[in-house]
Amino acid sequence: MRVLVTGGAGYIGSHTLLELMAQGHEVCVFDNYSNATPDVLTRVRSLSNGVIHDYVGDVRDSDKLDEVLQDFQPDAVIHFAGLKAVGESAEKPLYYYDVNVSGTLTLLRAMARAGCKKLIFSSSATVYGEPEYLPYDEAHPTNPTSVYGRTKLMAESILSDWAAAGDDRTAVLLRYFNPVGAHASAQIGEDPKDVPNNLMPFIAQVAVGKRDVLQVFGEDYDTPDGTGLRDYIHVVDLARAHVAAIDYAANAHGARAFNIGTGLSYSVRDMVSAFEKASGQQIPTKTVPRRAGDIAVMQADASRAKAELDWEATHGLDDMAASTWAWQSQNPDGYEQR
Ligand code: NAD
Ligand code: UFG
């Protein structure tokens, strides 16, 4: 299929390009590089030896989207382009609604003009909010606790209504749990621009000496070691879930949500231990109070994805830690050359 990938130069998008091309799909990237660099595509091209069409543009720019959609004529769109920092979303709510919600609307309108009716959406487990039961299945009530989470849930609602309004429209809503890890080549990976908000990139920067100490946000949760539990998912498994979603969308109609996780969960201490083992480095830690808005445990019931997408995670914790270490240690400054 011909697949337009918005945000394709980002962390998850870049890994997905490789998996799509490996399965024979033709890809086109649309990205404004607000959180990525064009060097990413240079590396993806050299890893794949494949053709990647690419356009620079913003998903809120309908003229630019028209140009791309008319030129490339995609069969489906994977919509990664968006903003993802929970803390920043509280400070800049209108910016988050604009990019994540208006951006999705603008994209859907442009798709309608080009006759493209299939969309795979980057949603998040954060749409569920405080768990009423665990693991979360897709029927769990949605009650996001952040502006970011609400933008994702709003976009999901728009996509569901859009898909229901036409017989041949498909929206696949992928609710990611916690993506970590990097490609086996160590050529592409996560490259946060500022201080990392997330656990794994922070641990990785401590291991290479860019940061002194990992702050453990609370050790008084009702969990076995007192730290938060998360369902970490290897980014290559996550990328493959998009390929499975593209195959599914070819024959499905309407909107459908899928949890994309492993069904297992690990604590902050587990992640530190796994990283120490993979890297041979000691990770100094310091316990500080809980981070506002954090939930004790998030864990997926990923059985729907297995049954309907024929997808399940295959990479374990050691692989998540080892691939993160390989990427970080071989690219201590990310995509920036030293
Ligand atoms: P990322 O920031 O690495 O990738 C997003 C890409 O979109 C970047 O290349 C950025 O330059 C581009 N972009 C941002 N705004 C744009 C705009 N207005 N127009 C065009 N391009 C734009 O993030 P990621 O981790 O790869 O996440 C991809 C998607 O998955 C996001 O929508 C994010 O909300 C969602 N998601 C991520 C996580 C996670 O923990 N990484 C978890 C759940 C959901
Ligand atoms: N943590 C620390 N120290 C840090 C960073 C995180 O102790 O420096 C802890 C957190 O308290 C939490 C765990 O590590 O217990 C994971 O935290 P992350 O920030 O890596 O991930 P979150 O689960 O908080 O959030 C992530 C994404 C959100 C997304 C959510 C659910 O950042 O965008 O997963 O998909 F909404």
Side-chain angles (χ1 to χ4, degrees):
M1 279 218 255
R2 297 172 68 79
V3 185
L4 176 65
V5 185
T6 75
Y11 171 46
I12 305 167
S14 55
H15 289 82
T16 302
L17 292 174
L18 285 172
E19 300 303 320
L20 286 167
M21 286 190 282
Q23 296 307 315
H25 296 290
E26 214 172 310
V27 297
C28 176
V29 170
F30 184 82
D31 201 301
N32 70 354
Y33 297 99
S34 58
N35 197 34
T37 146
D39 296 347
V40 174
L41 296 190
T42 308
R43 293 194 183 192
V44 175
R45 284 189 175 104
S46 79
L47 287 169
S48 69
N49 287 321
V51 175
I52 303 175
H53 307 271
D54 75 285
Y55 290 78
V56 181
D58 192 296
V59 282
R60 295 163 296 172
D61 180 345
S62 58
D63 290 344
K64 192 73 197 176
L65 280 171
D66 279 343
E67 182 192 327
V68 178
L69 283 149
Q70 297 302 335
D71 284 358
F72 184 65
Q73 294 283 328
D75 302 303
V77 177
I78 304 182
H79 183 32
F80 291 110
L83 304 171
K84 62 172 181 176
V86 172
E88 187 189 47
S89 75
E91 288 155 24
K92 302 176 182 169
L94 301 186
Y95 177 42
Y96 270 66
Y97 283 108
D98 195 29
V99 174
N100 291 359
V101 181
S102 298
T104 303
L105 276 174
T106 308
L107 174 63
L108 281 176
R109 289 196 200 100
M111 284 170 60
R113 289 191 289 274
C116 180
K117 295 174 177 171
K118 301 199 179 296
L119 187 137
I120 317 299
F121 180 63
S122 294
S123 189
S124 167
T126 201
V127 297
Y128 294 120
E130 197 63 53
E132 291 184 12
Y133 56 85
L134 284 167
Y136 296 105
D137 57 23
E138 291 84 354
H140 187 285
T142 48
N143 188 19
T145 54
S146 67
V147 172
Y148 166 69
R150 286 189 283 278
T151 67
K152 287 290 173 187
L153 187 58
M154 255 181 218
E156 280 200 7
S157 302
I158 290 167
L159 287 163
S160 300
D161 290 341
W162 166 80
D167 284 344
D168 44 2
R169 297 177 186 174
T170 315
V172 186
L173 314 172
L174 299 182
R175 293 176 175 166
Y176 313 156
F177 280 69
N178 289 59
V180 295
H183 190 256
S185 64
Q187 286 294 300
I188 56 170
E190 188 169 12
D191 181 19
K193 280 201 167 142
D194 300 312
V195 181
N197 293 309
N198 299 118
L199 180 64
M200 254 319 224
F202 203 104
I203 294 178
Q205 291 195 3
V206 174
V208 288
K210 287 185 88 171
R211 311 213 173 262
D212 295 336
V213 60
L214 170 75
Q215 295 193 331
V216 176
F217 296 146
E219 228 160 2
D220 55 352
Y221 285 104
D222 185 14
T223 59
D225 66 14
T227 67
L229 292 174
R230 292 291 181 275
D231 186 332
Y232 295 94
I233 169 95
H234 196 295
V235 67
V236 171
D237 281 327
L238 177 55
R240 289 178 184 157
H242 293 79
V243 181
I246 286 283
D247 294 342
Y248 166 91
N251 301 308
H253 299 298
R256 190 87 168 136
F258 294 95
N259 285 339
I260 304 297
T262 61
L264 302 171
S265 60
Y266 295 104
S267 73
V268 175
R269 292 276 170 221
D270 293 333
M271 298 308 281
V272 169
S273 302
F275 209 87
E276 287 181 333
K277 187 174 137 203
S279 65
Q281 308 289 312
Q282 271 253 280
I283 311 292
T285 63
K286 179 180 166 210
T287 301
V288 297
R290 293 179 181 194
R291 183 170 64 179
D294 271 358
I295 285 170
V297 183
M298 296 187 77
Q299 191 173 330
D301 174 343
S303 56
R304 181 187 285 182
K306 185 171 184 197
E308 297 182 28
L309 301 180
D310 193 22
W311 170 90
E312 67 183 320
T314 60
H315 294 74
L317 179 58
D318 288 346
D319 216 339
M320 298 180 202
S323 63
T324 305
W325 172 242
W327 155 252
Q328 185 73 58
S329 56
Q330 291 175 43
N331 306 269
D333 296 315
Y335 289 102
E336 244 170 59
Q337 305 287 344
R338 285 230 252 196

